[in-house]
Amino acid sequence: MDILKSLYEFFPTSVFTGKALVFISEDWRIELTEHQNSDFSKKDHACPIIRVKVFKKALNGEFVPGHYEDFQIEALGELASQIERYIQAAVGRNIREYGLDV
């Protein structure tokens, strides 16, 4: 959760729910969740995995899960940058410029 709280500083248009960072607009919902690496064979505890899930609003008004991607980058600034690029490519808009009002 510490990584999500730190990412909140990079994405002030998101909402922290206690378990996820959420971006929401009329047509899109993006969720960032934190997961621990479950590979116990490694001695070093690698940085957590941040999963970015993309949901698109269907004709019935419900958000339908689309695709997701896992990010595991230790440098927080680089992690935020790559997540931002992924979201922009997924929804086709600049999230900083539009606040994800896509």
Side-chain angles (χ1 to χ4, degrees):
M1 292 303 160
D2 294 331
I3 302 262
L4 289 180
K5 289 178 184 176
S6 298
L7 285 172
Y8 180 71
E9 300 298 321
F10 285 91
F11 304 116
T13 58
S14 65
V15 175
F16 183 63
T17 67
K19 65 177 185 173
L21 274 184
V22 178
F23 299 88
I24 193 156
S25 73
E26 190 173 310
D27 298 319
W28 298 96
R29 177 183 172 96
I30 310 291
E31 292 181 2
L32 280 68
T33 53
E34 185 174 330
H35 304 272
Q36 294 298 321
N37 192 345
S38 60
D39 185 359
F40 297 111
S41 65
K42 296 182 180 179
K43 289 184 180 182
D44 295 339
H45 292 287
C47 66
I49 296 167
I50 301 299
R51 177 165 289 167
V52 180
K53 295 180 185 176
V54 179
F55 300 81
K56 179 149 176 74
K57 188 176 270 187
L59 294 175
N60 66 3
E62 293 185 23
F63 287 102
V64 179
H67 50 291
Y68 71 89
E69 191 64 46
D70 291 338
F71 291 82
Q72 194 170 15
I73 302 171
E74 286 192 45
L76 190 61
E78 181 65 18
L79 174 64
S81 174
Q82 293 302 317
I83 289 173
E84 181 177 19
R85 290 179 70 187
Y86 177 77
I87 293 171
Q88 288 174 358
V91 301
R93 295 259 175 108
N94 182 328
I95 64 173
R96 293 200 186 269
E97 184 178 325
Y98 294 96
L100 198 67
D101 293 23
V102 204

